[in-house]
Amino acid sequence: MSQRKKIRLILIAPAEPLIGGQAVQAQRLVSKFKLEDELDVRFLPINPQFLAPLQKIKFVRTIVTTFRYLIGLLFSIPSADIVHVFSASFFSFYLSPAPAILIAKLFRKRVVLNYRSGYLEKHLTEWPAAIRFMKMADEIVVPSGYLVDVFSKFGIEARSVVNFVDTENFEFRERTVLEPKFLSNRSFEGLYNVACVIRAFSKIKPEFPEATLSLAGNGILEKELRDLVDELRLEGVTFLGPLNQKEMAKAYWDCDLLLNSPNIDNMPNSLIEAFASGIPIVSTNAGGIPYIVDNGRTGLLVEVGDCEKLAGESMRILRNPDLARQIISNAKEESLKYEWTEVRSQWLSLYRELAN
């Protein structure tokens, strides 16, 4: 009997030095796919790094990177069976996934559009031309039921394949009594509203003087956030900078509560990593978060922008060990659906469908 032909897959997504959920998930997928006998996987970054001096000039960097990316598409796609391209929203959609879709269709390749932005509804409402490109894909895959529902409003069918946690890195730690050691793991961008976490912490601090807050990440608002910490005269706040996966796992291990206060979101990796690490979550209910966190069962949710309630729910779980233990236990059980063994079969099944 002849050996089954490998499916030639090219995965297109952000890579370092870009830091964020897409880059993390892309690298996790590539590392796992390379272990699969039936896949021959190649990775193409949307942000190829070359001509280092030009990478330091803002607009020149975009032009040079885009040109190099397009050349990469033209050389890589013809030898692939399936083109799996990650997608954000707005203008970046036209810089990265749209060209990949067009070139893939030019060479009659199957396309998986892996859309990952919480801005989907705003994107399709304000940039309706994007819908034409999306409908050219053979499959649209999203990481949460939230985006499936948003796509359906525009008459577009999508399927959900969730993000997964590398449980080899994120180890569960039993917490019988929570200490007021808070962690935030979001980029310092406007939509993630890390300022709300800081303001909530300022309300917790008088009740728990020993409380600490670790802020993992970086971004354009870092100076503004540092200034806010100074303005509120907060002690115990540490800016950790951007962390790799091993460093992030240690940050979860060292802290006891995850604070998350985005205004817009889809499926943040930090929440499922917290589930797996045994660190309870207090978050705003932005976008797809209620599809991941069951309020009162696997975490605590408050309305977007409500820093006062974010602080209140944080202090409630600190003062109620039984509630904390139950949430941690439920979240640990919930984390099983985000393990690779659960997600692997969904990707392989999809690729087999498209390859036949």
Side-chain angles (χ1 to χ4, degrees):
M1 188 167 119
S2 62
Q3 187 175 7
R4 186 173 183 177
K5 183 182 177 183
K6 287 191 174 187
I7 299 170
R8 297 170 299 176
L9 172 71
I10 179 169
L11 195 148
I12 303 169
E16 292 184 349
L18 290 178
I19 301 294
Q22 288 199 46
V24 168
Q25 277 299 308
Q27 288 307 309
R28 287 180 184 172
L29 283 174
V30 170
S31 66
K32 295 296 186 182
F33 287 160
K34 285 185 175 179
L35 301 176
E36 298 293 336
D37 291 337
E38 63 184 289
L39 296 180
D40 178 6
V41 61
R42 291 185 58 193
F43 177 67
L44 178 66
I46 66 170
N47 55 319
Q49 300 299 299
F50 75 115
L51 297 178
L54 296 181
Q55 294 287 332
K56 299 176 182 178
I57 307 172
K58 187 175 181 181
F59 295 107
V60 173
R61 177 178 64 233
T62 301
I63 294 169
V64 169
T65 300
T66 301
F67 176 76
R68 181 65 182 83
Y69 169 62
L70 293 175
I71 295 297
L73 292 176
L74 289 168
F75 275 91
S76 301
I77 286 177
S79 61
D81 297 314
I82 298 172
V83 177
H84 177 161
V85 56
F86 277 38
S87 176
S89 53
F90 305 125
F91 186 63
S92 67
F93 177 83
Y94 293 99
L95 286 178
S96 305
I101 293 169
L102 285 174
I103 293 172
K105 287 302 159 184
L106 177 66
F107 289 101
R108 298 182 181 180
K109 304 299 181 179
R110 310 304 294 274
V111 176
V112 175
L113 177 65
N114 199 182
Y115 194 95
R116 294 178 164 269
S117 171
Y119 278 115
L120 176 60
E121 187 161 7
K122 184 178 175 68
H123 180 194
L124 297 186
T125 301
E126 297 183 0
W127 301 59
I131 295 174
R132 297 180 63 185
F133 288 95
M134 293 177 179
K135 287 185 174 180
M136 293 172 67
D138 296 280
E139 288 284 346
I140 297 177
V141 179
V142 295
S144 73
Y146 167 66
L147 290 186
V148 171
D149 291 345
V150 175
F151 265 119
S152 69
K153 294 180 182 179
F154 294 84
I156 301 173
E157 185 177 347
R159 71 168 78 184
S160 174
V161 179
V162 297
N163 292 341
F164 75 95
V165 177
D166 186 350
T167 50
E168 293 177 3
N169 284 331
F170 296 93
E171 184 180 354
F172 183 85
R173 175 166 77 83
E174 195 73 47
R175 292 165 170 84
T176 52
V177 177
L178 297 182
E179 295 184 40
K181 296 179 179 179
F182 296 92
L183 173 67
S184 170
N185 177 23
R186 304 312 296 269
S187 298
F188 302 155
E189 311 289 341
L191 74 161
Y192 297 128
N193 197 6
V194 177
C196 185
V197 166
I198 294 172
R199 293 187 186 281
F201 183 71
S202 74
K203 301 176 187 303
I204 295 167
K205 193 71 171 172
E207 301 292 325
F208 293 86
E210 74 280 23
T212 60
L213 171 62
S214 298
L215 300 171
N218 63 356
I220 58 173
L221 297 181
E222 181 167 347
K223 183 180 184 305
E224 184 177 312
L225 295 175
R226 288 181 179 274
D227 289 345
L228 179 61
V229 170
D230 292 340
E231 176 189 328
L232 296 172
R233 299 181 179 179
L234 286 174
E235 296 183 354
V237 178
T238 303
F239 286 79
L240 300 177
L243 304 181
N244 62 35
Q245 290 298 281
K246 288 186 177 180
E247 291 168 337
M248 197 64 246
K250 184 179 185 305
Y252 287 120
W253 184 272
D254 290 341
C255 296
D256 277 10
L257 273 164
L258 183 76
L259 290 183
N260 185 55
S261 58
N263 299 328
I264 296 168
D265 221 325
N266 173 30
M267 187 187 179
N269 289 322
S270 55
L271 301 190
I272 60 175
E273 290 167 355
F275 282 174
S277 302
I279 176 170
I281 296 162
V282 183
S283 174
T284 55
N285 59 359
I289 290 176
Y291 288 70
I292 306 166
V293 179
D294 185 359
N295 188 27
R297 191 180 75 85
T298 59
L300 299 177
L301 300 180
V302 306
E303 292 297 319
V304 169
D306 194 340
C307 311
E308 187 93 31
K309 192 69 179 291
L310 194 71
E313 290 294 83
S314 300
M315 290 187 283
R316 180 162 78 96
I317 196 170
L318 282 172
R319 290 168 172 151
N320 190 334
D322 290 338
L323 174 63
R325 281 193 292 271
Q326 191 60 56
I327 285 177
I328 291 169
S329 175
N330 292 338
K332 181 182 180 182
E333 183 178 352
E334 186 75 6
S335 73
L336 297 178
K337 72 166 65 170
Y338 302 106
E339 291 188 355
W340 175 243
T341 51
E342 294 295 316
V343 177
R344 170 184 177 272
S345 60
Q346 297 176 61
W347 283 121
L348 292 181
S349 176
L350 172 58
Y351 295 148
R352 290 173 193 141
E353 289 174 26
L354 294 176
N356 290 334

